[in-house]
């Protein structure tokens, strides 16, 4: 193993972890750890057994995957701590200072082939953890997952562009990066550019300022795969839309793949160039929906498993979260992070009561504020002398349909629910239906004063109920 350079691997792994892990946590855990490698095993030296155990719980699986990825071999990662009798306080200070200055490791004698590091698959703008193999597929995203997978495997031959839309925290960015990572892993010669619409806009503005149009155009038009996140950001920005239009044409004509994400259907984009929208018609538009209860349970269980942690979470706790966090996967992850932190710091069994208490605030946000969606629906139903199930159900008679639209409108006005989430509350209706309902009610209020008065009253009552 003479040619191995493990210190470089560990340095690279730290670099990647630094991007993935919140600053505070990174400093807390990683400044204390430094890796050495011998005989296919990388040893992380924790200064004491407490930190060793914490590291094992929180980051062993994660770091092991990173190191294996980078070294392109099955390295074992072990965390060792010195004998309890030794004093490590001075050493901790020294390590902390070193790592804060630079993420490079301190250990010597680590041997991995140098070229491995060069070949290691670290794309500068892709999140390494957003991959197909850790994306959990359910009915809410299967079609979109399959489309993304197909695009990654047959660049520019199946769907070009691919547009992924849907509400916040439902995996759009994850899937887009997964496409990038797949290409980067399997066809390293392809140039993958991944950027948010905001960064693209900033570069565009800078380019005008610097008069460097040539470099800007060259950069984007030389991409084999262009991934742009959150393109609704381009609304109201005709200059950058124009630039994207030309980039699009150049890439499309030379059969390069494009993938865009956005928070609404293309048709719902406002102040967006029609000719650019019509270019999007050449490709495929797919959406991600909020996960249903069963998928939420599966997501929570798989996330726990994938994290490689030993945290023992009872089914009742998983059930508690799945029941209380309904709208997005980011919030589900947030709950797990909080529970894991607790379990790491306080060595107590995680009972349902403790979990409920810990997650109170997360449950307490919009979905659990005093204004609940059901209370609004019930209020509107009462007003129209209908029942809750009439409004949530499928009946389409005129008075029911109108009351339903009013309820959607009121919810939209007084809560933070997105149209996607409101759709879910009304038996899984599409978010565009919710949007149209809200627009329609707004229209009627403009020319029918008595209707407007009713709506104002309902809005007032809904808000008042929320503050009681
Ligand atoms: P969006 O871009 O739609 O707002 P993200 O892609 O940023 O959402 O996802 C939010 C978080 O939830 C990320 O950490 C992502 O890895 C995770 N996530 C979302 N959907 C899934 C899924 N189906 N399986 C695994 N993780 C998911
Ligand atoms: Mg996103």
């Amino acid at each position: 193993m003479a040619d191995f350079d493990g210190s470089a691997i560990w340095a690279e792994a730290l670099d990647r972890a630094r991007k993935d892990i919140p600053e505070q946590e990174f400093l807390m855990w990683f400044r204390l750890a430094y890796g050495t490698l011998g005989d296919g095993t990388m040893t992380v030296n924790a200064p004491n057994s407490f930190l060793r155990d914490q590291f094992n719980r929180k980051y062993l699986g994660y770091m092991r995957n990173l190191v294996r990825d980078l070294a392109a071999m099955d390295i074992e990662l072990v965390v060792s701590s010195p004998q309890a009798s030794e004093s490590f306080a001075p050493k901790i200070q020294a390590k902390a200072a070193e790592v804060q200055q630079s993420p490079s490791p301190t250990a010597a004698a680590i041997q991995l082939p140098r070229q491995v590091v060069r070949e290691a698959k670290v794309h500068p703008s892709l999140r390494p953890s957003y991959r197909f193999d850790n994306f959990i597929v359910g009915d809410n995203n299967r079609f979109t997952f399959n489309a993304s997978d197909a695009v990654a495997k047959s660049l520019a031959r199946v769907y070009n562009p691919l547009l992924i839309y849907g509400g916040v925290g439902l995996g759009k960015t994850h899937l887009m990066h997964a496409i990038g990572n797949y290409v980067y892993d399997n066809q390293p010669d392809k140039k993958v550019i991944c950027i948010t619409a905001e960064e693209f806009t900033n570069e565009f503005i800078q380019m005008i300022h610097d008069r460097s149009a040539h470099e800007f155009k060259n950069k984007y038009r030389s991409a084999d795969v262009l991934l742009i996140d959150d393109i609704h950001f381009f609304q109201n920005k005709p200059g950058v839309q124009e630039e994207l239009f030309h980039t699009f044409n150049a890439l499309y004509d030379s059969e390069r793949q494009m993938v865009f994400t956005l928070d609404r259907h293309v048709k719902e984009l406002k102040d967006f160039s029609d000719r650019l929208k019509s270019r999007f018609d050449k490709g495929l538009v797919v959406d991600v929906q909020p996960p249903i209860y069963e998928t939420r349970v599966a997501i929570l269980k798989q996330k726990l498993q994938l994290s490689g942690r030993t945290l023992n979470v009872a089914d009742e706790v998983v059930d508690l979260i799945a029941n209380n966090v309904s709208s997005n996967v980011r919030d589900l992850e947030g709950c797990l992070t909080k529970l894991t932190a607790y379990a790491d710091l306080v060595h107590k069994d995680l009972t349902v009561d403790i979990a409920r208490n810990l997650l109170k605030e997360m449950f307490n946000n919009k979905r659990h504020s005093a204004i609940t969606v059901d209370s609004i629906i019930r209020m509107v139903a009462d007003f129209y002398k209908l029942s809750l199930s009439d409004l949530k159900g499928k009946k389409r008679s005129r008075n029911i349909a109108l009351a339903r639209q009013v309820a959607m409108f009121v919810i939209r006005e007084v809560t933070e629910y997105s149209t996607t989430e409101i759709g879910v509350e009304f038996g899984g209706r599409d978010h565009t239906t919710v949007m149209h309902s809200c627009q329609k009610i707004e229209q009627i209020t403009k020319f029918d004063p008595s209707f407007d008065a009713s709506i104002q009253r309902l809005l007032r009552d809904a808000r008042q109920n929320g503050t009681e």
Side-chain angles (χ1 to χ4, degrees), residues 160-178:
N160 198 20
L162 177 70
L163 286 113
I164 305 174
Y165 76 96
V168 172
L170 295 179
K172 302 183 295 294
T173 301
H174 186 131
L175 276 177
M176 194 181 81
H177 282 237

Side-chain angles (χ1 to χ4, degrees), residues 127 129-130 134-138 140-141 166-175 229-230 261 288 299 303 306 328-331 333:
R127 286 188 70 127
S129 57
Y130 285 2
N134 61 6
F135 188 83
I136 298 151
V137 184
N140 56 318
N141 58 26
V168 172
L170 295 179
K172 302 183 295 294
T173 301
H174 186 131
L175 276 177
D229 210 6
D230 295 331
T261 72
V288 280
I299 288 173
K303 290 257 171 210
L306 288 171
N328 82 54
V329 182
R330 189 175 291 141
D331 289 354
E333 281 184 344

Side-chain angles (χ1 to χ4, degrees), residues 366-383:
K366 54 191 172 182
R367 246 148 263 101
H368 291 266
S369 65
I371 313 178
T372 66
V373 165
D374 273 0
S375 72
I376 295 176
I377 302 177
R378 201 166 284 119
M379 187 186 77
V380 176
D382 284 351
F383 183 83

